[in-house]
């Protein structure tokens, strides 16, 4: 087949994984030809929508803040939530390189990142999340994009990769792309890095691999159709953890923006349509979403004015939700019950029990021990919420160099994967194995490894 252009490395998908991979490859070997192919007409993957929080152990930012951490503790924390799974060795590898990754992002990729000290989020015993000061993944992406431009890495928008090209020996040697007006191009390369994210926007694949969440609202970008996972499978690649995903228990309804879990961590509670709590909210936003799917909505997250203000102070998306009327306030339980159209005595009983539990200093009957700022006090605040799917965590099996593996453990020559296209580290099934930051750690961590190893292995 005639080839329209030749590159050393082609990256499929201009998200966090793809841009990191391209920059890592080019930083390693500045003279190579690297290009990024993106099906959307602009940067619009899930990384853009995220809060940009990436966990890392023993970074210089943690040391400066006096946080004692190391990969061993991080690995314990990750497995403490996910349990062993089908990509356990990737958990080890990502924790080991996590500090190097964050410092490389700052020093080489010129991403502005700080240690998040106002919250730890689910699963982390110490302050370990690093994110842009704005806590917006869009800023992380803009910094990566600026660096890619400065390195003269072309990002070709509106070019969906439709197929991988292979040699008679089964090595990947390029891709076919298609523009929205039907123009088809054939591009050759020594390596292809799949950075297309997972399949959370593809209801058919969801029904097959993650049926319990397949009808929930999806809070991510439409590009996550899972095609790269299918191409890999067609070439004989193994897949791992296909039933795992990240859900979020508190997407503001109908606003669609995130009610950050900090509201819970500072003492908020979640009630069902009858005004009853139905679980320990501190198990985390992903695991709690699974519980919501088994109960009757609409759901409400209830906090008080102090929790609302402390949270809004550090997190712009929540501050915007407050400013836009998504968090309403009531002077007492009666007014709150009226506003939520919930039975007043039930709601009052629920709030009184939560107040008592926070005072008691021991686990309540759901097992909740942590009440953040302490017992809730009037005036109260509430937001209507819905559980949502954020991204899938299952994908192509990769090794510690992000090379895609076959069932027999051999790697498919020329093929790498990261982010949602690769098997993640959040357990093998369901939402409960997700630890905050697992999505971006897999995206940027495997992107970093894929970029470096693909550049290193060029002939
Ligand atoms: C609202 C929200 C908040 C989140 N917050 C966090 C967080 O704070 N921390 C965390 O760790 N995780 C978070 N996540 C999850 C995280 O965003 C994802 O795990 C991560 O962004 C995946 O990165 P990626 O590079 O694989 O995918 P993306 O950033 O989605 O990039 C994939 C790109 O590939 C393109 N593409 C797809 N198919 C093709 C094709 N055939 N040809 C060309 N291009 C293609 C897509 O258009 C897209 O631009 C969040 C997710 C959501 C939805």
């Amino acid at each position: 087949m005639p080839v329209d252009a030749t590159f050393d490395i082609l990256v499929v998908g201009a998200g966090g994984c793809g841009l990191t991979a391209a920059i890592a490859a080019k930083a390693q070997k500045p003279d190579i030809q690297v290009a990024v192919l993106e099906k959307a007409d602009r940067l619009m993957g899930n990384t853009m929508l995220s809060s940009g929080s990436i966990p890392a152990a023993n970074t210089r930012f943690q040391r400066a803040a006096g946080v004692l951490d190391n990969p061993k503790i991080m690995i314990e924390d990750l497995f403490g939530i996910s349990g062993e799974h089908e990509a356990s060795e990737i958990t080890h590898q990502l924790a080991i390189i996590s500090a190097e990754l964050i410092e490389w992002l700052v020093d080489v990729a010129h991403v502005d990142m700080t240690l998040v000290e106002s919250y730890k989020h689910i699963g982390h015993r110490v302050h370990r999340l690093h994110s842009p000061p704005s806590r917006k993944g869009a800023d992380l992406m803009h910094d990566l994009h600026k660096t890619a431009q400065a390195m003269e890495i072309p990002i070709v928008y509106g070019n969906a990769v439709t197929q991988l090209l292979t040699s008679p020996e089964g090595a990947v040697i390029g891709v076919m792309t298609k523009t929205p007006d039907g123009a088809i191009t054939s591009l050759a390369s020594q390596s292809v890095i799949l950075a297309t994210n997972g399949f959370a926007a593809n209801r058919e694949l969801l029904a097959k691999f993650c049926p319990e969440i397949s009808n929930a609202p999806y809070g991510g970008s439409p590009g996550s159709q899972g095609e790269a996972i299918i191409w890999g499978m067609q070439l004989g690649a193994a897949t791992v953890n296909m039933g795992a995903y990240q859900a979020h228990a508190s997407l503001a309804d109908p606003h669609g923006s995130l009610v950050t879990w900090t509201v819970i961590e500072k003492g908020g509670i979640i009630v069902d349509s009858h005004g009853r709590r139905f679980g320990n909210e501190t198990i985390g936003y992903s695991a709690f979403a699974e519980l919501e799917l088994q109960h009757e909505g609409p759901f409400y997250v209830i906090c008080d004015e102090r929790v609302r203000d402390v949270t809004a102070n550090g997190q712009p998306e929540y501050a915007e939700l407050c400013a836009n009327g998504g968090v309403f306030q009531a002077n007492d339980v009666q007014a709150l019950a009226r506003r939520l159209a919930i039975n007043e005595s039930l709601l009052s009983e629920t709030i009184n029990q939560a107040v008592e539990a926070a005072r008691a200093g021991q686990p309540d009957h759901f097992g909740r021990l942590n009440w953040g700022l302490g017992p809730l006090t009037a005036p109260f605040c509430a937001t209507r919420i819905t559980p949502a799917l954020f991204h899938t965590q299952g994908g192509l099996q990769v090794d510690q160099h992000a090379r895609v593996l076959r069932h027999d453990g051999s790697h498919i020559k020329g093929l790498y994967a990261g982010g949602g296209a690769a098997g993640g580290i959040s357990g093998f099934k369901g939402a409960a194995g997700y630890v905050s930051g697992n999505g971006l750690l897999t995206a940027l961590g495997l992107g970093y490894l894929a970029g470096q190893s693909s550049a290193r292995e060029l002939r």
Side-chain angles (χ1 to χ4, degrees):
M1 178 181 302
V3 165
D4 297 302
T6 299
F7 295 85
D8 294 305
I9 297 170
L10 286 171
V11 179
V12 188
C17 177
L19 294 190
T20 301
I23 294 167
K26 192 84 177 168
Q28 176 118 338
K29 288 196 179 159
D31 295 335
I32 60 177
Q33 298 295 318
V34 182
V36 183
L37 303 163
E38 169 54 53
K39 74 177 165 190
D41 59 4
R42 60 188 187 284
L43 297 177
M44 58 174 288
N46 272 14
T47 312
M48 289 289 286
L49 302 172
S50 75
S51 66
S53 309
I54 310 169
N58 195 21
T59 64
R60 65 174 189 252
F61 306 102
Q62 287 177 304
R63 289 195 298 276
V67 177
L68 289 176
D69 196 12
N70 62 49
K72 189 169 169 283
I73 305 176
M74 179 169 167
I75 289 165
E76 276 170 19
D77 285 356
L78 295 178
F79 283 129
I81 302 287
S82 71
E84 291 284 334
H85 50 81
E86 295 166 348
S88 290
E89 62 292 349
I90 299 302
T91 300
H92 285 267
Q93 174 72 345
L94 290 175
I96 288 164
I97 62 138
S98 61
E100 174 188 329
L101 169 70
I102 295 295
E103 293 177 15
W104 176 88
L105 281 168
V106 173
D107 298 339
V108 179
H110 306 301
V111 177
D112 188 9
M113 299 207 95
T114 56
L115 177 68
V116 180
E117 294 184 75
S118 52
Y119 55 84
K120 293 184 201 142
H121 273 350
I122 317 312
H124 301 293
R125 276 178 286 178
V126 297
H127 288 117
R128 183 182 286 145
L129 294 173
H130 299 69
S131 89
S134 63
R135 312 289 176 239
K136 288 189 173 176
D139 285 340
L140 183 154
M141 285 297 291
H142 289 138
D143 285 350
L144 287 174
H145 181 248
K146 222 188 297 169
T147 301
Q149 277 190 317
M151 293 174 118
E152 298 184 350
I153 298 169
I155 301 173
V156 191
Y157 296 101
N159 268 265
V161 169
T162 54
Q163 192 188 326
L164 298 177
L165 302 176
T166 51
S167 71
E169 297 75 35
V172 171
I173 52 169
V175 303
M176 299 288 287
T177 73
K178 193 173 180 184
T179 60
D181 57 11
I184 290 174
T185 309
S186 154
L187 304 172
S189 65
Q190 289 194 44
S191 298
V192 172
I193 299 175
L194 301 174
T196 52
N197 208 352
F199 55 91
N202 184 326
R203 297 280 160 189
E204 216 174 293
L205 290 181
L206 282 177
K208 184 166 175 193
F209 295 109
C210 312
E212 69 275 21
I213 193 84
S214 61
N215 291 319
Y218 169 52
S221 108
S224 306
Q225 296 290 339
E227 56 270 58
I229 298 174
I230 306 290
W231 304 329
M233 287 162 83
Q234 286 165 349
L235 294 182
T239 54
V240 286
N241 298 333
M242 287 299 280
Y245 52 89
Q246 182 210 346
H248 206 296
S250 61
L251 200 67
D253 181 20
H255 299 75
S257 62
L258 195 63
V259 180
T260 167
W261 211 242
T262 308
V263 174
I264 298 298
E265 289 162 354
K266 298 287 180 207
I269 57 172
I270 291 177
V271 301
D272 64 12
S273 57
H274 305 290
R276 291 197 198 95
R277 283 179 65 220
F278 49 94
N280 172 6
E281 296 87 347
T282 62
I283 58 173
Y285 49 75
S286 192
F288 201 79
E290 252 188 41
L291 266 187
E292 287 178 350
L293 291 171
Q294 296 155 22
H295 288 81
E296 196 182 327
F299 305 101
Y300 298 93
V301 57
I302 295 174
C303 65
D304 62 20
E305 218 176 43
R306 293 166 315 153
V307 172
R308 180 198 64 191
D309 293 347
V310 167
T311 306
N313 193 22
Q315 302 195 52
E317 187 171 351
Y318 184 67
E320 270 165 41
L321 184 68
C322 296
N324 293 335
V327 183
F328 46 83
Q329 190 176 324
N331 284 337
D332 50 33
V333 180
Q334 292 72 27
L336 185 66
R338 265 199 310 279
R339 184 73 161 78
L340 307 185
I342 284 179
N343 179 295
E344 184 189 314
S345 62
L346 267 182
L347 186 62
S348 175
E349 191 183 316
T350 298
I351 291 181
N352 286 340
Q353 281 173 354
V355 167
E356 282 312 310
R359 284 203 186 112
Q362 48 192 326
D364 70 358
H365 60 292
F366 294 119
R368 179 167 177 173
L369 178 60
N370 191 339
W371 295 90
L373 301 181
L376 296 175
T377 55
F380 299 108
C381 301
T383 302
R384 193 164 89 159
I385 52 168
T386 178
L389 172 64
F390 271 15
H391 70 283
T392 52
Q393 282 273 304
L396 300 172
Q397 184 172 22
V398 295
D399 66 8
Q400 73 272 30
H401 306 292
R403 299 181 299 191
V404 174
L405 300 178
R406 298 188 184 88
H407 293 275
D408 65 4
S410 62
H411 70 270
I412 298 176
K413 202 161 181 306
L415 192 61
Y416 299 77
I425 57 170
S426 303
F428 73 96
K429 192 169 169 25
Y434 185 80
V435 179
S436 289
N438 276 3
L440 289 178
L441 179 62
T442 322
L444 279 79
L446 288 175
Y448 174 68
L449 292 169
Q452 288 196 328
S453 40
S454 60
R456 205 169 39 237
E457 284 171 29
L458 287 174
R459 289 178 301 276

